[in-house]
Amino acid sequence: MFDLSGRVAVVTGAGRGIGQGIAAALAAAGADVLGVQRGAMDETEARVEDAGRRFLGLRADMADRATAPRIVATALEVFGRIDILVNNAGIIRRAEAVDMAEADWDDVLEVNLSAAFLLSRTAARHWIGAGLGGKVINIASMLSFQGGIRVAGYTASKSGLLGLTRLLANEWAARGINVNAIAPGYIRTDNTRALREDAARNAEILARIPAGRWGEPGDLGGAAVFLASAAADYVHGAVLPVDGGWLAR
Ligand code: NAP
């Protein structure tokens, strides 16, 4: 039920952090992976190939609107199919809302929300045109549920991404396309380095996590394999928190 043999996954932001953890887990479950990010993805390539699967790294900027069609065209050309799309690439800019630069707001909305919409739409057009189903997994956040602080663009983008997940699920469920989200809690990656380096903030966060530790990128792998697999064929528009209990608190 959880076997992804013969499937092809596109994972944006696959070179490090959560995207790398998810790419490695999908490969371990049997999928070949097309990874996308601006930088090199050597470590992810090694992890996918160690699992016996094929990896192709496409260096591209998700803020460029020509990227989505390029990703889908590359996946079809190189692997001949796409089964799974993980919209994971994301950025965060921290400032008080009154001080937040318009460019920071725009950059975050573009990468975290617009790029996820455009890539999902491009993949869905392919699936619908070919009479195929597919799995879309959006990487949401605790800030899809909560307001947060000093991250106005990020909260808007992640709250928007959860709404978009539900809308796309409504429109595409009958086409055999599952659109769902994973909401990671506080995970040890570059994205959250500033929080861990602030001793007071780090202690506050840890004190609120029932599991008593930061999450690791590998903690997201099982949820991604589930939502990418036949086990989730009747799961549409859901969000699965993987947060050490944060939301339950
Ligand atoms: P990370 O370690 O900073 O990784 C971000 C990834 O996104 C990198 O692979 C980066 O690659 C890629 N990326 C950023 N901008 C891009 C662009 N313009 N074009 C292409 N790729 C781009 O952060 P992470 O924590 O793993 O975050 C992954 C996702 O999880 C994000 O959507 C984030 O919001 C979400 N998330 C994280 C946490 C957490 O606690 N860490 C919690 C909730 C949600 P390049 O820089 O090389 O392009």
Side-chain angles (χ1 to χ4, degrees), residues 6-112:
R7 310 275 170 84
V8 172
V10 169
V11 181
T12 67
R16 54 198 165 91
I18 289 171
Q20 182 179 82
I22 288 176
L26 296 175
D32 293 329
V33 178
L34 171 66
V36 185
Q37 70 175 34
R38 291 165 300 178
M41 288 163 269
D42 299 348
E43 204 176 286
T44 307
E45 178 170 22
R47 290 184 65 183
V48 170
E49 290 180 356
D50 282 353
R53 308 312 318 170
R54 291 193 294 164
F55 181 83
L56 178 73
L58 176 65
R59 290 180 70 162
D61 185 353
M62 295 307 300
D64 177 348
R65 295 203 171 184
T67 294
R70 214 178 127 209
I71 291 170
V72 172
T74 303
L76 295 176
E77 189 184 313
V78 175
F79 294 110
R81 57 189 293 146
I82 303 177
D83 303 281
I84 300 152
L85 166 60
V86 184
N87 287 306
N88 165 77
I91 55 175
I92 193 162
R93 303 272 166 81
R94 298 179 197 277
E96 296 286 332
V98 286
D99 298 325
M100 180 153 287
E102 281 177 34
D104 285 337
W105 170 272
D106 287 345
D107 289 351
V108 170
L109 269 290
E110 187 65 33
V111 174
N112 294 11

Side-chain angles (χ1 to χ4, degrees), residues 13-19 37-39 60-63 88-91 111 139-141 154 158 184-187 189-192:
R16 54 198 165 91
I18 289 171
Q37 70 175 34
R38 291 165 300 178
D61 185 353
M62 295 307 300
N88 165 77
I91 55 175
V111 174
I139 303 305
S141 166
Y154 188 83
K158 293 297 182 178
Y186 285 78
I187 312 299
T189 69
D190 293 344
N191 172 296
T192 48

Side-chain angles (χ1 to χ4, degrees), residues 145-170:
F145 305 96
Q146 300 176 314
I149 174 175
R150 303 186 71 248
V151 288
Y154 188 83
T155 299
S157 72
K158 293 297 182 178
S159 297
L161 187 60
L162 184 49
L164 179 68
T165 300
R166 294 178 174 131
L167 173 131
L168 295 178
N170 291 338

Side-chain angles (χ1 to χ4, degrees), residues 1-4 7 135 178 225-235:
M1 204 180 249
F2 299 96
D3 183 15
L4 300 180
R7 310 275 170 84
K135 307 279 187 193
N178 299 77
V225 169
F226 164 60
L227 291 175
S229 74
D233 278 352
Y234 198 60
V235 180

Side-chain angles (χ1 to χ4, degrees), residues 163-247:
L164 179 68
T165 300
R166 294 178 174 131
L167 173 131
L168 295 178
N170 291 338
E171 293 196 7
W172 297 344
R175 309 274 198 167
I177 300 169
N178 299 77
V179 186
N180 293 293
I182 295 171
Y186 285 78
I187 312 299
R188 190 188 304 276
T189 69
D190 293 344
N191 172 296
T192 48
R193 188 183 306 278
L195 298 177
R196 280 189 307 282
E197 286 174 352
D198 177 338
R201 191 85 181 87
N202 186 48
E204 267 170 30
I205 288 169
L206 271 179
R208 196 194 183 285
I209 300 174
R213 65 168 176 87
W214 281 76
E216 302 296 333
D219 286 321
L220 285 308
V225 169
F226 164 60
L227 291 175
S229 74
D233 278 352
Y234 198 60
V235 180
H236 293 280
V239 54
L240 178 47
V242 180
D243 64 354
W246 177 276
L247 287 178

